[in-house]
Amino acid sequence: MNTKRHIVDLPVYQPGKPVDDVKRELGLSEVIKLASNENPYGSSPLAKQAILTEIENSNIYPDGASVELTAATAGHLGVRPEQLIWGNGADEIILMLARSFLEPGDETIMADLTFSQYRHNAVVENAAIVEVPLADGKQDLPAMLAAVTDRTKIVWICSPNNPTGTIVTERELVSFLDALPKSVLCVLDEAYCHFVDDPDYPDSIRLLDRYPNLVSLRTFSKIYGLAALRIGYGIAHPDVIHAINLVREPFNTARVSQAAAKAALSDQAFVDSCRENNLLQRDYLQGEFDRLGLAYFPTQANFILVDVGMPSREAFDRLLRRGFITRAGWSKYPNRLRVSIGTAEDNIKFVAALEEVLKEATVRK
Ligand SMILES: Cc1ncc(COP(=O)(O)O)c(C=O)c1O
């Protein structure tokens, strides 16, 4: 087999462990997954009803351009329909951006710890990856700007950043965009934007007219609770959207996904309640980490990267045996575990299990 040489060493994406696998492997009756930043409150009843209704049309191809969903979303955001593009999750928008804009030898800039798919897709396109170290869990925009050369095509900014949960502020973003050459795309991944309560978080939609090289990424996988349906989108200048459309598969988003997303959008009461619950539970978990003396990056998302004072893989295994799936193995922060914020009940149980794990580790010392 003659696989392209530059992709042979790419790691295959390792998703959070599925609940049923863990139950079977460890003989547990209850397993709580706090690993993939999913919505623990499910999804809107309107979205579920729309899925059931749309199932009836399963024999018909979807509308490739997602016209109805585009119109609803454009109205909701206050943008023009030609500023939107849909993907099989925001993941696919990242893939299409790389496919449209990166050529072998081009440079692309990202933080040294951020969402893995920017790097992955850049490697597939044989682009040169320039990683800029996070400073205290935050993306260092001046350093990212300093890394721009005449070969740079895309700068990826994740805000809130996965896995650290930190944001870039409006002031940081605007001064970055003011100095960034217009030939370089700035992809601002806002998959977790709905969870933010920091008043300094930029309203990126408002910036789009001023910066035609800005792309915002959004998803229905997180606060809307539709991760299984794989639907996400990009918002940008129509020229950028056109360039992405050139590489889009004809029917890349499913009928049920489009229908569910449209219904979910109409249920902002569900979004508001998830957001409120997440903020309450975030404060609870961060308060418990303070009580336990564990360091963490204060989060603006639905997950927290917490220092558990031991190799995170060890804490992961010990928690797994107690029925909690988390995320470990960040080489930059070997003692940090990423924990998705669950429901009140899940979080109380998680903190109890974590305390046991910490006590075990102290006894061993
Ligand atoms: C920062 C970030 N961007 C994009 C995605 C992909 O989202 P989607 O499920 O829409 O593909 C994720 C998923 O975890 C993410 O964390």
Side-chain angles (χ1 to χ4, degrees):
M1 239 182 9
N2 291 317
T3 312
K4 286 181 190 170
R5 222 168 319 138
H6 65 274
I7 66 166
V8 286
D9 293 328
L10 261 182
V12 173
Y13 183 78
Q14 298 297 325
K17 262 178 150 337
V19 167
D20 288 341
D21 287 11
V22 176
K23 279 189 182 164
R24 201 174 41 246
E25 283 166 21
L26 298 175
L28 295 167
S29 56
E30 190 192 18
V31 169
I32 295 172
K33 187 178 176 207
L34 302 173
S36 303
N37 310 334
E38 291 150 339
N39 188 334
Y41 308 103
S43 53
S44 158
L46 299 187
K48 290 179 193 161
Q49 187 52 52
I51 292 166
L52 292 177
T53 307
E54 200 53 45
I55 289 279
E56 291 302 321
N57 296 321
S58 293
N59 57 320
I60 313 288
Y61 277 107
D63 164 14
S66 312
V67 171
E68 284 188 26
L69 178 57
T70 299
T73 308
H76 176 72
L77 297 174
V79 299
R80 285 167 288 141
E82 47 297 4
Q83 288 180 275
L84 294 174
I85 176 115
W86 294 90
N88 187 31
D91 276 344
E92 197 195 12
I93 309 284
I94 297 168
L95 177 150
M96 292 190 288
L97 280 161
R99 200 158 186 199
S100 293
F101 289 95
L102 296 179
E103 291 186 65
D106 283 346
E107 291 174 7
T108 185
I109 299 172
M110 62 196 72
D112 65 345
L113 181 58
T114 189
F115 187 51
S116 58
Q117 294 311 98
Y118 317 142
R119 163 179 258 282
H120 181 94
N121 285 290
V123 170
V124 171
E125 300 305 329
N126 215 352
I129 290 143
V130 179
E131 288 186 335
V132 175
L134 291 179
D136 202 19
K138 282 200 68 180
Q139 282 150 114
D140 183 345
L141 265 49
M144 291 172 100
L145 189 64
V148 172
T149 71
D150 54 9
R151 305 275 349 219
T152 307
K153 287 285 177 60
I154 304 181
V155 182
W156 307 87
I157 298 173
C158 189
S159 179
N161 185 41
N162 180 1
T164 54
T166 55
I167 60 157
V168 298
T169 64
E170 163 123 21
R171 195 136 52 101
E172 289 165 342
L173 182 66
V174 165
S175 48
F176 173 82
L177 289 170
D178 279 340
L180 188 70
K182 291 289 176 282
S183 56
V184 180
L185 272 191
C186 172
V187 178
L188 185 64
D189 185 341
E190 301 185 302
Y192 301 97
C193 61
H194 298 93
F195 299 106
V196 173
D197 69 346
D198 187 328
D200 292 331
Y201 190 65
D203 176 356
S204 61
I205 306 288
R206 224 177 21 83
L207 299 175
L208 288 170
D209 283 340
R210 218 153 97 208
Y211 303 103
N213 54 341
L214 177 63
V215 184
S216 165
L217 302 186
R218 308 280 175 100
T219 180
F220 279 87
S221 298
K222 305 300 175 185
I223 206 149
Y224 289 100
L226 297 176
L229 296 188
R230 315 302 305 122
I231 187 139
Y233 59 105
I235 322 161
H237 188 278
D239 290 349
V240 176
I241 298 299
H242 175 72
I244 305 172
N245 251 322
L246 297 175
V247 301
R248 187 176 61 75
E249 298 286 336
F251 304 110
N252 64 327
T253 58
R255 280 192 95 91
V256 280
S257 313
Q258 293 177 17
K262 184 166 165 248
L265 200 62
S266 72
D267 190 355
Q268 289 299 314
F270 175 80
V271 172
D272 292 344
S273 87
C274 294
R275 177 186 150 80
E276 288 308 310
N277 282 325
N278 185 69
L279 290 173
L280 281 174
Q281 291 310 311
R282 174 196 71 181
D283 292 348
Y284 166 73
L285 275 182
Q286 292 190 160
E288 289 298 283
F289 294 155
D290 288 338
R291 178 176 68 78
L292 297 169
L294 304 178
Y296 56 88
F297 298 116
T299 189
Q300 285 292 308
N302 64 343
F303 53 84
I304 307 175
L305 194 64
V306 59
D307 187 331
V308 284
M310 69 184 94
S312 65
R313 289 192 193 278
E314 181 185 331
F316 171 90
D317 285 338
R318 290 177 183 277
L319 285 163
L320 195 66
R321 273 181 258 134
R322 290 172 168 82
F324 294 88
I325 314 175
T326 55
R327 204 70 196 244
W330 316 100
S331 56
K332 185 178 172 82
Y333 300 118
N335 286 2
R336 287 192 185 238
L337 203 61
R338 194 190 69 194
V339 183
S340 302
I341 298 171
T343 62
E345 203 187 329
D346 292 350
N347 294 336
I348 289 168
K349 289 181 187 166
F350 170 73
V351 170
L354 180 62
E355 279 197 82
E356 284 178 20
V357 166
L358 295 173
K359 279 198 193 107
E360 265 177 12
T362 322
V363 171
R364 257 184 313 120
K365 272 184 192 158

